[in-house]
Amino acid sequence: MAQTSFYQLYDPALHRQTVMTIARAKFTSARNYNVFNEYLLYSDPTTTEADIHAKIPKRGVRLDDLTVALVLGVIDCPKSLNEWWPGEFDVNDMPKAERIPLGHAAKMWVSAGDVDSDGNVATEADEGYYYLWWKGLQVLMGQEGHDAGMYMVRPSWELDEQTGFSFKLTHRAVVQALL
């Protein structure tokens, strides 16, 4: 199980920024990750699982957190996700450890009795929207969670021991609505 309780809160003052002018190179560290800031952000909250194949751009853009969740949940790419969206995914098709939350958040409704990825059971008082976690490692909280200071940097050495999407009672959505 990932020890997310030890994740550090993101501090933008500590995020290394290096100006890179080399195009179409492989970028693997936070030091040179800012090259993806030049990519346009794809953010369309009307995109659904049913129409994602028709609506989503194929290359050279950043994806917001809601779109990342849709891609992880439904896209069956002939190539790796890293080849299509290098700003979002590493070579193992996991969201990059150094990826900063963007755009709309990916959320799910949690009802009393639902169990989170850490084994905690939601009560009636806990009912509401929660941010989705991919494989228990990467939270897809979008700009709203980032702005609220909830984002934690995932260590790149963490392994994905869980499958699919989950939620954590510690990450209740700031905005209690889907969008």
Side-chain angles (χ1 to χ4, degrees):
M1 179 185 306
Q3 296 298 316
T4 56
S5 59
F6 298 117
Y7 286 16
Q8 295 178 358
L9 281 174
Y10 174 72
D11 181 355
L14 299 177
H15 188 75
R16 291 198 243 163
Q17 297 285 323
T18 304
V19 176
M20 299 291 291
T21 56
I22 304 167
R24 298 180 190 260
K26 296 280 185 188
F27 297 95
T28 57
S29 70
R31 180 171 44 98
N32 53 23
Y33 182 72
N34 72 318
V35 71
F36 297 112
N37 292 341
E38 302 299 319
Y39 285 34
L40 292 176
L41 174 65
Y42 175 84
S43 180
D44 182 357
T46 65
T47 304
T48 64
E49 289 181 9
D51 64 5
I52 187 131
H53 289 285
K55 288 178 114 177
I56 197 162
K58 298 298 183 209
R59 291 185 183 271
V61 297
R62 297 295 312 272
L63 304 177
D64 74 349
D65 286 21
L66 177 59
T67 309
V68 167
L70 288 169
V71 166
L72 288 168
V74 302
I75 294 280
D76 183 22
C77 282
K79 303 230 181 212
S80 76
L81 296 175
N82 172 260
E83 288 182 44
W84 287 109
W85 302 288
E88 312 309 325
F89 300 101
D90 63 22
V91 294
N92 297 316
D93 289 342
M94 278 290 292
K96 288 190 173 198
E98 65 271 18
R99 183 182 182 279
I100 305 302
L102 296 168
H104 297 284
K107 303 175 189 176
M108 69 177 287
W109 178 263
V110 172
S111 299
D114 291 345
V115 180
D116 77 1
S117 60
D118 294 329
N120 301 307
V121 179
T123 64
E124 282 188 30
D126 294 324
E127 287 187 343
Y129 285 102
Y130 287 79
Y131 299 121
L132 286 180
W133 283 73
W134 177 247
K135 296 190 175 186
L137 295 174
Q138 189 81 24
V139 62
L140 299 171
M141 65 177 52
Q143 194 66 42
E144 72 182 55
H146 180 270
D147 290 348
M150 296 174 66
Y151 177 61
M152 296 178 293
V153 179
R154 173 175 66 89
S156 58
W157 48 263
E158 285 275 20
L159 300 175
D160 54 330
E161 297 174 1
Q162 298 179 11
T163 59
F165 291 105
S166 61
F167 73 97
K168 292 179 186 264
L169 288 176
T170 56
H171 281 79
R172 185 180 184 92
V174 174
V175 177
Q176 284 294 302
L178 277 179
L179 297 177

